């Protein structure tokens, strides 16, 4: 199963279409139990996701052997210092303690551009040391744009990447770029399949900030109606059907949402039917730029 469980909602309030806030622990326990029983193996978290790591560590069923991917927080300075490199060990140790694990499947830099800063090569060497120690199986980056990702992949041997891919954001698919990266042996996790819920919202009720894509989203709804597909199924089935994607990270607020996602993920589609809905406007595609 390609669905991977995103857990930012387990630790913080998150998402433009999420009115319910952080998921309570009992619901998290039910989500994790159901996920494991259905064969979901990838669980994505981060040190920056509030209490997410602690909640996962406490509420994961004893029998569940999830492949957990966590992330180091962004390094805010322009130069990666020796102190920054040294701090990575303490951050990883804390994450493992919270997760109640001796090791994780993947450790990512929350900000890929940190590797491109002065001192970034020292940080990379520290990541490699984590692999050698057995604390981490794969090292990688969370990237937001093709230019940064390309520079990182050219300079460093990366095992795992997490990148945005959605019906609207197909920029990394263009020219077979992501397919080529995947073929080189890099594990690819796609995030933002629903673009923080934007693809699920009624275009008529969208914030004025998104007025430039309102008609585009209406056209997408018409397309799905003709196909007899729901908004959820369309958004998830497209990304899941991409051969270059190993896992689609989907955040959920409750168990019912996870059940719906699992059902939608099994739908087979022709990805070429969705190419017409790709846009290039970074002000829409990059949630960090949203002015809401």
């Amino acid at each position: 199963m390609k669905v991977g469980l995103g857990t930012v909602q387990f630790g913080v309030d998150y998402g433009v279409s999420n009115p319910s806030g952080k998921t309570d622990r009992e619901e998290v326990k039910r989500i994790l139990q159901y996920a494991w029983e259905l064969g979901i193996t990838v669980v994505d978290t981060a040190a920056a996701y509030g209490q997410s790591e602690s909640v996962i560590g406490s509420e994961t069923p004893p029998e569940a052997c999830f492949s957990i991917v966590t992330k180091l927080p962004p390094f805010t300075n322009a130069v990666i210092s020796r102190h920054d490199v040294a701090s990575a060990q303490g951050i990883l140790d804390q994450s493992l303690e919270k997760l109640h694990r001796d090791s994780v499947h993947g450790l990512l830099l929350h900000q890929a551009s940190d590797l491109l800063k002065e001192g970034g090569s020292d940080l990379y060497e520290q990541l490699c040391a984590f692999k050698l120690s057995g604390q981490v199986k794969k090292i990688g980056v969370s990237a937001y744009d093709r230019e940064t990702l390309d520079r990182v992949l050219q300079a460093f041997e990366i095992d795992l990447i997490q990148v945005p891919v959605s019906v609207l954001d197909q920029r990394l698919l263009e020219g077979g770029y992501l397919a080529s990266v995947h073929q080189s042996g890099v594990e690819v996790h796609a995030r933002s399949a629903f673009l923080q819920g934007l693809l699920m919202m009624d275009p008529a009720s969208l914030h004025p900030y998104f007025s430039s894509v309102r008609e585009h989203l209406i056209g997408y709804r018409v397309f799905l109606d003709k196909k007899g597909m729901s908004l959820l199924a369309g958004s998830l089935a497209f990304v899941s059907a991409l051969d270059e994607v190993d896992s689609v990270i989907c955040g959920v607020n409750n168990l019912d949402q996870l059940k719906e996602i699992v059902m939608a993920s099994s739908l087979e589609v022709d990805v070429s039917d969705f190419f017409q809905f790709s846009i290039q406007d970074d002000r829409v595609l990059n949630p960090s730029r949203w002015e809401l």
Side-chain angles (χ1 to χ4, degrees):
M1 180 178 295
K2 279 195 177 182
V3 171
L5 187 61
T7 65
V8 61
Q9 291 94 332
F10 295 178
V12 296
D13 296 338
Y14 178 82
V16 67
S17 65
N18 172 23
S20 58
K22 186 168 60 176
T23 306
D24 68 67
R25 282 179 176 263
E26 283 303 312
E27 190 70 2
V28 170
K29 182 182 293 186
R30 288 189 286 269
I31 289 170
L32 292 171
Q33 181 70 53
Y34 183 81
W36 180 249
E37 290 174 355
L38 262 71
I40 293 174
T41 58
V42 174
V43 173
D44 179 80
T45 186
Y49 291 172
Q51 298 178 336
S52 176
E53 291 178 324
S54 297
V55 172
I56 293 168
S58 299
E59 306 305 335
T60 295
E63 70 276 13
C65 299
F66 290 118
S67 294
I68 295 179
V69 177
T70 192
K71 309 175 193 73
L72 298 176
F75 294 90
T76 57
N77 295 325
V79 175
I80 301 296
S81 67
R82 291 183 179 180
H83 178 269
D84 291 330
V85 174
S87 71
Q89 181 68 70
I91 295 169
L92 176 59
D93 289 342
Q94 288 181 7
S95 292
L96 293 175
E97 182 179 358
K98 292 175 181 177
L99 291 165
H100 299 174
R101 297 176 73 96
D102 296 323
S103 64
V104 289
H105 175 72
L107 179 67
L108 308 182
L109 294 182
H110 217 137
Q111 191 167 276
S113 57
D114 284 337
L115 281 182
L116 303 175
K117 297 176 180 178
E118 181 181 342
S121 58
D122 295 330
L123 182 58
Y124 174 76
E125 290 302 321
Q126 180 63 71
L127 295 179
C128 291
F130 293 151
K131 283 181 63 177
L132 289 173
S133 72
Q135 290 180 295
V136 174
K137 182 178 180 181
K138 296 189 176 185
I139 58 173
V141 296
S142 177
Y144 298 85
D145 63 88
R146 178 168 171 170
E147 179 183 0
T148 301
L149 178 60
D150 205 33
R151 291 176 63 193
V152 167
L153 291 176
Q154 288 179 17
F156 304 98
E157 292 187 15
I158 297 298
D159 307 312
L160 173 63
I161 61 172
Q162 187 182 108
V163 291
V165 183
S166 69
V167 170
L168 293 185
D169 190 356
Q170 302 180 32
R171 294 175 294 180
L172 291 177
L173 305 180
E174 295 172 359
Y177 176 76
L178 195 59
S180 178
V181 171
H182 185 254
Q183 289 167 6
S184 72
V186 177
E187 185 174 339
V188 176
H189 291 187
R191 67 168 183 275
S192 300
F194 311 116
L195 202 51
Q196 282 199 25
L198 179 62
L199 281 164
M200 309 297 294
M201 299 179 72
D202 180 359
S205 63
L206 285 176
H207 189 283
Y209 179 81
F210 300 111
S211 60
S212 64
V213 292
R214 183 173 285 113
E215 292 301 318
H216 191 78
L217 291 172
I218 290 173
Y220 175 56
R221 283 193 167 215
V222 171
F223 163 80
L224 291 179
D225 285 343
K226 291 181 179 178
K227 293 279 189 180
M229 299 171 63
S230 68
L231 290 168
L232 178 69
S235 298
L236 182 57
F238 167 68
V239 184
S240 297
L242 295 167
D243 292 335
E244 53 266 58
V245 170
D246 294 297
S247 185
V248 185
I249 306 302
C250 300
V252 299
N253 302 313
N254 54 62
L255 181 56
D256 287 340
Q257 286 182 357
L258 180 57
K259 290 179 178 178
E260 292 173 1
I261 284 172
V262 168
M263 290 182 62
S265 69
S266 62
L267 189 66
E268 295 185 2
V269 298
D270 184 343
V271 295
S272 64
D273 290 341
F274 292 78
F275 291 164
Q276 62 186 303
F277 299 107
S278 173
I279 66 173
Q280 299 292 323
D281 190 350
D282 191 61
R283 295 172 302 170
V284 174
L285 299 178
N286 188 348
S288 69
R289 298 189 62 185
W290 289 357
E291 298 176 5
L292 306 180

